[in-house]
Structure formats: C-alpha cells, structure tokens
Amino acid sequence: MEQKIITAIEELQATVKINKSIPFSILYPYLDDAYYKYLVPYVGEELLSKICEDEANSYEITLHMMTQRVLGPLTVALASPELGIQIGDSGHTVTRNDKFTVANDSKISASEKNMQERGFDNLERMLNFLEKNILNFPLWKKCDYYLNFSVGHFINSAYEFQHFGHININFSRLTFEQFRPAIEVYEGKLKIWIGNSLFSSLKQEFTTPSSDIKIELINKIREWIAMNVAGVFTSQKTRIQRSSPGSLEFNPYIYPLYSDQENNGNFYKEQVDSLEAEINGYIIENAVSLGVNAPDSTDFNDIDKHIFVI
C-alpha cells in the first residue's frame, strides 16, 4: 500500500530542515521504506489509511499530523547516507561547487542521530496520544504493536524503564526500542526463576490489580529487569563484541557506572545480585499472599542435620 502520510515536499519541510530544491521523487522511496519500518508496526495500515481520508475526524487529523512528525525526520535520517553521493560509471562520487562543500563525517553522524531522536521522541508522543484516546481509534487494536507490545510486559515503555528501573535513559524511545529484545529475554528468565504460576499471576495484575503485595513485587522485578538490561548494554566485553571498526553504532542514552575502576566492576550487574536476594526474600516472606508454597524452614543445627560424626 502506498503511503499517503507525506505527499509533498512542503509537508516534509514542516517536520525537518531540507532544501525545497530537492525533487520530491528522490525522497519518495525513502518515505515508503520509513513508513513500513517506523509507522506500520506501531499504528497499523488500516488506521494509517483512515486518517488520510477526506472525512477524517478531529482525532484522526491530529493523529495524521503526529505521524508526519514521526515520518519526516526518520525518512531523512534513513536517506541521509545516500543523498550525499552519486553512483555512476565512476563509482561513488560527490558534487562540489563554489557555494557548498561536503559535510564531514562527524556532522553527518550528529545530524542523523538528532533526526533519529526527534523521530522517536515524536513516536513516543504519538503512542501516548493513542493510548489516552484509544476509544477513538478501535483500528489501532489490530496493529502489531498493540497486540504484542503495548501492554502485558513488565516494562512497556521508555518511561517505565526509567521510572521503575531507576536508570536514566533520557526517556528515549530510540534507546528503549534497542533494549526491547533484551527485556523480553529477561522476562523469559524470570518465568523460569519464579515459576509459571506466580509469573502468570503477576501478569494478571497488569489488567486487574488486586494486591498491593503483588504490585510491590512487580516493581522489584521491573528494577531487576532494567538493571540486567543496563548491565548488558554497558558491559565492556559486550560493547567490544558489538563494535565494528569504521561503521556507525547506535549509542544509547545510558552510561556504565563502575564501582571498581581497576577491574571495571559494573554497578548495574552488582545491583542485580542484591535485587535477586531481595526478591527471593520477599517471595518467601509473602508466600501465602502470593499463592506459592512456603519453603520448609530447616534448622541446620539440629542433631540430625550434622554432617560430622562426633
């Protein structure tokens, strides 16, 4: 389906700084690619088509303008590496004249990063708008994001990651999207750790809250997941393994905190150990309220428990 969110250079200029002399036909392929990469998964093709209709209501018109502010910066960021070069018989070439010269790599990289951040910040605002006005957008419930990601996870947004995880990521949607696969991996580990029954019971609390004890446990778990993810993304070995010399790499809004400079002890990973002990203790202490079997207390000083023969 052809995208109709941005159909003229003037609409694109309203969202990102770009020269009007650029033929719109050059940018259109990137608009299509960005549309399917950044909008369709989060909004759905049916709703995107509806907000572009002439009879769109005020809510749909507002959403249309929000999608433009997502699509514009992310399109130009996607196109940026190719717009500065020409490909012909002589290979890759650049154009120079008396008025302009090619920007250096650092400026190009900074520009691309800024457009990405703006686009994802606007994506965050758009999703918040949809969540607050969901009754006006029934078609949104059919999109992949709503079905798979919007609810039902321990951490569902950049805000929740920072607020419950107590880790500053500048509320960046771009950073959070980089973290999402790791978050889901640690949810899988959590299920094995605490068991299917308790895991399912806690998930039920997201839609029908019923217990302050469960909510407190959920918040402890959220911090545990966030600290694990932060430890992975600030791990010195992991960063070296992920790095590729000479290529651009996404740098999330998060920084390693070393409690031991000499050995590069990772603060986030150290927090995981204490959180695991805290969560285990909390589950044991509230076993009845949580609906799990309380472990038998064991007196290791009992005479029958001695391992030495006297």
Side-chain angles (χ1 to χ4, degrees):
M1 182 184 296
E2 184 180 15
Q3 74 84 22
K4 297 179 181 179
I5 301 298
I6 294 178
T7 58
I9 192 69
E10 290 79 11
E11 292 178 341
L12 185 59
Q13 282 185 302
T15 66
V16 67
K17 183 180 179 181
I18 192 166
N19 199 317
K20 190 175 182 179
S21 64
I22 295 178
F24 190 65
S25 59
I26 292 178
L27 293 167
Y28 209 86
Y30 304 104
L31 277 164
D32 269 353
D33 290 344
Y35 171 81
Y36 282 104
K37 184 175 183 179
Y38 300 116
L39 280 182
V40 170
Y42 292 100
V43 185
E45 284 194 85
E46 288 188 66
L47 181 54
L48 287 169
S49 178
K50 193 172 191 308
I51 64 177
C52 295
E53 295 175 353
D54 293 335
E55 59 269 22
N57 60 40
S58 60
Y59 286 98
E60 291 165 350
I61 291 171
T62 300
L63 179 59
H64 188 182
M65 290 188 292
M66 287 184 157
T67 58
Q68 287 179 328
R69 299 197 66 82
V70 174
L71 186 59
L74 292 176
T75 293
V76 179
L78 191 64
S80 180
E82 296 181 41
L83 289 179
I85 63 171
Q86 299 182 42
I87 303 175
D89 295 340
S90 301
H92 293 71
T93 60
V94 296
T95 302
R96 283 191 174 92
N97 57 40
D98 295 336
K99 294 183 179 180
F100 301 101
T101 187
V102 179
N104 60 46
D105 290 343
S106 62
K107 287 186 177 181
I108 295 173
S109 177
S111 174
E112 291 173 9
K113 182 178 179 181
N114 187 65
M115 285 186 287
Q116 282 185 327
E117 282 296 338
R118 285 208 302 117
F120 274 89
D121 286 345
N122 290 332
L123 177 63
E124 182 77 20
R125 295 186 189 98
M126 181 193 72
L127 292 173
N128 288 336
F129 174 76
L130 283 166
E131 289 167 359
K132 291 177 181 177
N133 298 280
I134 190 169
L135 294 178
N136 296 292
F137 300 105
L139 289 175
W140 188 46
K141 296 181 179 181
K142 297 182 179 182
C143 78
D144 290 343
Y145 173 80
Y146 186 87
L147 292 173
N148 299 314
F149 301 127
S150 63
V151 293
H153 290 271
F154 284 87
I155 299 178
N156 299 287
S157 67
Y159 171 82
E160 290 185 358
F161 188 94
Q162 181 160 330
H163 180 72
F164 294 112
H166 305 122
I167 298 170
N168 181 23
I169 60 170
N170 204 29
F171 296 107
S172 168
R173 165 67 64 166
L174 178 56
T175 296
F176 179 73
E177 290 304 320
Q178 298 292 320
F179 289 172
R180 190 189 289 280
I183 289 171
E184 293 180 355
V185 167
Y186 279 103
E187 279 202 13
K189 290 179 179 290
L190 173 69
K191 187 174 184 179
I192 296 172
W193 174 22
I194 66 175
N196 291 342
S197 178
L198 180 55
F199 183 85
S200 300
S201 175
L202 295 178
K203 286 267 188 172
Q204 190 66 31
E205 287 293 307
F206 298 153
T207 52
T208 54
S210 62
S211 167
D212 291 339
I213 290 175
K214 289 182 180 180
I215 293 297
E216 185 172 348
L217 177 57
I218 287 170
N219 289 336
K220 292 177 186 294
I221 287 171
R222 283 167 167 163
E223 186 175 1
W224 175 81
I225 291 173
M227 289 293 172
N228 268 300
V229 172
V232 168
F233 275 79
T234 58
S235 168
Q236 197 174 54
K237 290 182 179 179
T238 302
R239 184 166 294 281
I240 292 172
Q241 291 167 352
R242 290 192 301 121
S243 297
S244 177
S247 66
L248 294 174
E249 180 187 8
F250 168 71
N251 295 312
Y253 271 118
I254 186 170
Y255 301 96
L257 299 177
Y258 296 126
S259 58
D260 182 347
Q261 289 287 349
E262 183 177 351
N263 296 314
N264 288 339
N266 190 298
F267 170 81
Y268 302 116
K269 283 295 187 183
E270 292 172 3
Q271 291 301 106
V272 168
D273 295 335
S274 61
L275 281 168
E276 286 180 355
E278 184 179 344
I279 290 170
N280 273 324
Y282 188 84
I283 292 174
I284 292 171
E285 182 182 347
N286 298 280
V288 175
S289 298
L290 293 171
V292 298
N293 295 325
D296 295 331
S297 58
T298 301
D299 183 3
F300 288 100
N301 291 317
D302 187 279
I303 192 168
D304 293 329
K305 302 293 190 302
H306 287 166
I307 61 175
F308 298 105
V309 177
I310 301 177

